[in-house]
Amino acid sequence: IHCSVIGCDQRDVTYANHCTAKVSDESIHQVVFLGEQQPDALLDHMRRAHVMVIPSEYEGFGMAYLEGLSVGLPSIATTKGAPPEFITHGCNGFLVPPNAPALVAEHIQALAHDRDLLAKLGIAARQSFESHPTWDESFQGAREFILQISSERSANHASASTHEKRI
């Protein structure tokens, strides 16, 4: 298994060093630490990958999952936070509880050995992306709500001003 680790290694240098040392001591697989990547380079790495694994303790939004789905990457994601909104366990990826490295490894092994499953999840990943609303679609409802509230407040303000003039 070839693993590319992408992300900032300067936010928590102690943890990044621990990971690097752990991999060099124990890994039988090829692991490369690439650090933080520019958006275009990150997308290129995603296009060449087979699986995206982000087993964090908590993900507030999960933009990375949408980016992975856009290129047909099944994900192994955390159950905490937003990922369950994008990842359906066994359909377009797998959900694992935080701090469950053995379960993450089990899913990676399953996908490494079952290429039909990997292909099925990849196709579902892309289909999930296609069915997800775009930014414009997502914010259209917010825009309409703000315009409605603004219009109602303007109408109420105008009505109150007319009422004040009569008094």
Side-chain angles (χ1 to χ4, degrees):
I1 295 175
H2 173 87
C3 176
S4 296
V5 179
I6 298 175
C8 181
D9 54 3
Q10 298 302 307
R11 289 192 188 112
D12 187 343
V13 175
T14 303
Y15 180 70
N17 290 339
H18 168 76
C19 291
T20 304
K22 185 123 177 114
V23 166
S24 64
D25 290 345
E26 298 180 17
S27 185
I28 60 171
H29 304 291
Q30 183 180 1
V31 179
V32 178
F33 290 85
L34 299 173
E36 195 165 4
Q37 300 288 301
Q38 294 299 315
D40 288 342
L42 178 61
L43 204 52
D44 285 341
H45 286 292
M46 287 182 172
R47 285 186 184 113
R48 290 191 305 269
H50 294 127
V51 180
M52 183 169 62
V53 182
I54 308 176
S56 51
E57 289 185 10
Y58 182 86
E59 283 291 332
F61 178 70
M63 176 61 103
Y65 299 105
L66 280 175
E67 292 170 338
L69 293 173
S70 77
V71 295
L73 269 183
S75 294
I76 299 175
T78 184
T79 56
K80 299 295 181 186
E85 294 179 29
F86 307 104
I87 306 302
T88 303
H89 187 79
C91 177
N92 61 359
F94 296 106
L95 295 168
V96 297
N99 303 310
L103 195 51
V104 171
E106 183 181 308
H107 290 305
I108 292 171
Q109 288 284 341
L111 294 172
H113 295 300
D114 187 344
R115 303 311 253 184
D116 290 335
L117 176 61
L118 177 63
K120 178 183 148 199
L121 294 180
I123 291 167
R126 180 60 191 181
Q127 289 170 340
S128 295
F129 175 77
E130 292 293 334
S131 69
H132 193 77
T134 65
W135 279 112
D136 284 342
E137 292 166 344
S138 294
F139 285 100
Q140 182 61 34
R143 248 181 269 153
E144 290 170 4
F145 174 75
I146 291 168
L147 289 172
Q148 177 186 350
I149 295 298
S150 176
S151 175
E152 289 172 3
R153 287 192 177 180
S154 293
N156 288 341
H157 181 69
S159 175
S161 294
T162 303
H163 179 70
E164 288 173 7
K165 289 178 185 175
R166 289 187 202 159
I167 296 179

